[in-house]
Amino acid sequence: MTCLYYNIGFLGGLHPLNTPLRGAELAVYPSINDAYLITEGNKIMAYGSMQDFSPANYSITHRVDVNKGALLPSWCDSHTHIVFAGSRENEFVDKIKGLSYAEIAAKGGGILNSAIKLQQTDSQELYELALERVREVVQAGTGAIEIKSGYGLTLEAELKMLRVIKRLKENTPVLIRATFLGAHAFPTIYKNNPDGYIKLLLTEMIPAIVKEDLAEYIDVFCEEGFFSPAQTALICEAGIKAGLRPRIHANQLAISGGVQVGVTLGAISVDHLESMDEAAMKALSSSSTIGTLLPNASYFLRMQDAPARKLIDNGSIIALASDFNPGSAPSGNMNGVVAQACIRMRMLPEEAFNAATINGACAMELENQCGSIQVGKIANFFITKPIPSLAYYPYAFGSNLITKVVLQGKEIHHSSF
Ligand code: NIG
Ligand code: FE
């Protein structure tokens, strides 16, 4: 199938290179007004200005009138916990009443609450719940997702989660990366024996996961009350030896030292960064590790946002992701993430779009396949109602402007997979 998309009012995200954007580059969003784009099979075959389009060069089999709307590369959401068993709105109410995230975790809520629910849910139900969430975020424009385990916390339950992620990879048109986050919290039975749990991670969980080829990355929640920088390094080093590259939850609730550990280990990304000091800022800006910002989590937990402006201005590479999870960010809608980045973090619309597409793709090492509109890349994009400018998109933060979603070159509806 060779499909022509014509009458495109604004064709955006035309980055020529597949490298992460940093500093002033992040504000550059190459685009063409009044454009066409051609897909062949699941790939982008050509694009250009409508006035340069010559039909004789192609054997077009299908045509789509974009009606002057925008055609933009799909969101690349590089940090989610989309496989989980139940919602936690009771904790949402606890937070309204004034309890902190750490206090809720200390009284047995939080991650441990999700782990009990997940351990009691069979894998088919878990798969169906996660599949429905994937369908929802795809309709909101997402085309690539990183998904973490970490609500299992036993060998059996972590394997169950990762096998669900594998099924999602096989049965959906979304590009998916899997991350082993066994080090998300210490299970209650290891409360007084943290070394025992770390031994389990190193000697049983990592080998079993690698043997079944269930993950590309390893993650650790490096935070006071969770895993220390030394424990984080130990776990990540074991992951690296087994072929899993680290990506780390760092500096969410406090200055944890997680950023420096991640940078030293050559982590692909350090994520959250709500609490940053000069040392962490410096370590990140002089590295190629990507700082992934998760405004859903700081919004939902009523915490300070990551210092996006300072990070961009000091030359750090940053990406934006949803953190979709039942405890601190029960939304995977990247349109909302981009709007929040502009409204609360003072990112320019171009910066936010780039951070949520090409830099997100780089944070999943999928930059050769997605994250921009480029000939040869996978045809993952969405079409919008006509918009007067790119800035209109996050400005109109409450409107659903998406009219069509295309993944792997095919139009995708809620019931397509
Ligand atoms: O990224 N910070 C650790 N993990 C999640 C929250 C998990 C939960 O509360 O269930 C996060 O915010
Ligand atoms: Fe997270």
Side-chain angles (χ1 to χ4, degrees), residues 133-319:
R133 292 180 199 117
V134 173
R135 289 185 184 125
E136 185 187 317
V137 299
V138 162
Q139 289 311 304
T142 296
I145 323 180
E146 181 265 5
I147 309 177
K148 299 171 197 300
S149 69
Y151 289 128
L153 308 183
T154 63
L155 173 62
E156 197 193 7
E158 284 293 308
L159 287 172
K160 179 166 71 177
M161 277 191 89
L162 288 161
R163 289 179 187 135
V164 166
I165 300 171
K166 193 174 185 180
R167 277 182 75 187
L168 294 170
K169 262 191 205 184
E170 290 164 354
N171 296 314
T172 71
V174 186
L175 297 166
I176 293 178
R177 291 296 208 197
T179 299
F180 171 53
L181 176 57
H184 199 186
F186 285 101
T188 314
I189 54 160
Y190 287 98
K191 208 174 155 202
N192 299 315
N193 178 20
D195 290 345
Y197 187 59
I198 292 177
K199 192 169 166 218
L200 180 70
L201 289 168
L202 268 49
T203 60
E204 292 189 41
M205 293 200 198
I206 292 175
I209 285 152
V210 170
K211 194 169 164 218
E212 257 189 73
D213 198 15
L214 289 173
E216 284 89 28
Y217 299 103
I218 185 158
D219 196 343
V220 178
F221 189 18
C222 182
E223 195 71 53
E224 232 180 271
F226 293 84
F227 293 81
S228 70
Q231 291 167 332
T232 302
L234 191 69
I235 297 161
C236 288
E237 276 158 8
I240 293 169
K241 270 203 196 121
L244 304 175
R245 190 166 178 193
R247 46 192 327 122
I248 295 176
H249 278 74
N251 296 40
Q252 179 184 13
L253 309 175
I255 293 164
S256 65
V259 171
Q260 289 90 323
V261 175
V263 167
T264 308
L265 291 165
I268 182 75
S269 70
V270 287
D271 301 25
H272 273 292
L273 315 184
E274 284 89 337
S275 307
M276 291 291 274
D277 58 6
E278 275 313 307
M281 295 289 287
K282 206 164 162 236
L284 191 62
S285 68
S286 51
S287 79
S288 56
T289 296
I290 298 170
T292 300
L293 313 185
L294 309 163
N296 274 348
S298 41
Y299 174 57
F300 193 77
L301 299 179
R302 296 185 190 84
M303 292 180 68
Q304 65 193 353
D305 290 309
R309 213 41 287 145
K310 278 193 190 161
L311 287 163
I312 295 167
D313 295 341
N314 80 2
S316 299
I317 308 168
I318 64 158

Side-chain angles (χ1 to χ4, degrees), residues 79 81 88 91 101 110-111 114 151 181 184 221 249 252 272 294 297 301 323 325-329:
H79 181 137
H81 310 248
R88 294 190 349 226
E91 292 175 19
Y101 184 69
I111 296 163
S114 279
Y151 289 128
L181 176 57
H184 199 186
F221 189 18
H249 278 74
Q252 179 184 13
H272 273 292
L294 309 163
L301 299 179
D323 198 15
N325 77 71
S328 66

Side-chain angles (χ1 to χ4, degrees), residues 10 342 348-350 353 387-397:
F10 179 91
C342 296
L348 295 169
E350 293 81 2
F353 269 79
I387 52 173
S389 67
L390 189 72
Y392 181 83
Y393 198 89
Y395 158 85
F397 71 93

Side-chain angles (χ1 to χ4, degrees), residues 343-358:
I343 296 164
R344 296 208 322 270
M345 297 161 105
R346 294 180 184 276
M347 287 176 69
L348 295 169
E350 293 81 2
E351 291 173 332
F353 269 79
N354 284 330
T357 52
I358 185 68

